[in-house]
Amino acid sequence: MMNSEQVINVYQAMSDLTGQMLAAARVRDWENLAELEAHCADHVATLQQNETAAALPPALRARKVAMIHQILAHDREIRDLTTPWMAELATLINSCGAERRLADAYGA
């Protein structure tokens, strides 16, 4: 189990990572975004396995809540940036699929 400071440190690391993820999404650096997301997922798994249900002291609880709000704000902005890109990607994939089906059907 993790102590209070370790828990806060992991949340801080996640907040930092999601900030880096946001920066990557802003410049459309999708490879870096995916790599950073994997690191963030590792931290989530660490918390799921090791964070105790014990109440944090009020000051640490306030820090944790502030970091969670920051992480969620980063996530929201990342989704706002990645959703249009995902739509573009889906259009390209569908277009390539349609071209392939036409080529198969008409022997291009």
Side-chain angles (χ1 to χ4, degrees):
M1 290 294 139
M2 300 169 73
N3 65 35
S4 298
E5 279 301 315
Q6 290 170 320
V7 169
I8 292 301
N9 289 339
V10 173
Y11 276 100
Q12 183 63 57
M14 289 174 54
S15 180
D16 295 344
L17 280 170
T18 58
Q20 294 171 30
M21 290 167 61
L22 177 56
R26 285 179 175 152
V27 297
R28 298 174 64 100
D29 184 354
W30 307 127
E31 286 184 36
N32 190 32
L33 175 63
E35 188 176 311
L36 292 166
E37 191 279 331
H39 292 301
C40 196
D42 291 341
H43 288 303
V44 170
T46 297
L47 286 173
Q48 288 173 334
Q49 295 171 3
N50 300 304
E51 186 175 9
T52 63
L56 293 172
L60 290 180
R61 186 173 346 124
R63 270 185 70 197
K64 178 181 171 181
V65 168
M67 286 184 281
I68 290 171
H69 284 273
Q70 186 65 59
I71 291 165
L72 292 173
H74 289 157
D75 180 66
R76 192 169 31 259
E77 200 169 337
I78 291 165
R79 278 186 280 118
D80 289 346
L81 293 166
T82 57
T83 299
W85 173 74
M86 295 290 282
E88 289 173 28
L89 185 60
T91 299
L92 285 172
I93 290 170
N94 289 335
S95 174
C96 289
E99 288 176 18
R100 193 172 31 254
R101 285 190 300 275
L102 284 172
D104 289 346
Y106 295 105

